[in-house]
Amino acid sequence: MFVINKIDRKDARIQEVLNEVYDLFIDLDANEDQIEFPVLYAVGREGIAQKTQEGRGENLGVLFETIVDEIPAPSYDPSEPFQLLVADLDYSLIMSEDWLSARSPTDRYIRVMNLSALMKKDKIFR
């Protein structure tokens, strides 16, 4: 799945960007299934996504539907304790000993949480 954002700009290079992505996939020896990805067009500032360049989307519904339809659900082993990986783009003060936190080379915080370590009174924040 590929989203081309800022399609409303005067200097938008929609087809050129899409061609560059296809060229990259070819250079990486992608197979046909990998190259045939869905393309969406968006104006993120306005919260709009659409399946075609023409017209005007109403919201991000198409984006979310495509994510659900195209990206497989994670696999898991129900006998293992639940763990969650959070890639956080901003610093958060909601950290405790239950969070293993590290700073990545790109200066982003990466956290892994093991819910089996939480006590019943603890809350999970969204």
Side-chain angles (χ1 to χ4, degrees), residues 16-29:
E16 184 179 341
V17 167
L18 188 55
N19 289 342
E20 288 175 3
V21 170
Y22 283 131
D23 290 344
L24 174 63
F25 271 65
I26 291 168
D27 290 346
L28 294 171
D29 289 329

Side-chain angles (χ1 to χ4, degrees), residues 35-67:
I35 292 176
E36 292 180 5
F37 49 82
V39 177
L40 298 179
Y41 305 90
V43 182
R45 180 174 18 105
E46 296 177 22
I48 295 170
Q50 54 203 47
K51 290 185 176 185
T52 63
Q53 294 180 44
E54 297 80 31
R56 190 80 172 156
E58 296 178 15
N59 53 40
L60 294 174
V62 171
L63 173 64
F64 298 128
E65 289 169 9
T66 305
I67 290 170

Side-chain angles (χ1 to χ4, degrees), residues 52-125:
T52 63
Q53 294 180 44
E54 297 80 31
R56 190 80 172 156
E58 296 178 15
N59 53 40
L60 294 174
V62 171
L63 173 64
F64 298 128
E65 289 169 9
T66 305
I67 290 170
V68 169
D69 292 344
E70 296 293 330
I71 298 176
S75 60
Y76 67 97
D77 182 349
S79 66
E80 294 293 323
F82 178 81
Q83 288 195 58
L84 174 70
L85 173 64
V86 178
D88 194 345
L89 298 179
D90 193 12
Y91 178 76
S92 174
L93 295 176
I94 307 173
M95 289 175 55
S96 69
E97 297 90 39
D98 297 324
W99 291 89
L100 301 175
S101 182
R103 213 168 194 159
S104 72
T106 58
D107 208 26
R108 302 286 189 240
Y109 284 91
I110 299 170
R111 301 176 186 147
V112 177
M113 183 178 190
N114 184 333
L115 291 184
S116 63
L118 290 177
M119 300 175 77
K120 289 183 181 181
K121 64 180 175 142
D122 291 335
K123 293 181 181 177
I124 299 172
F125 296 91

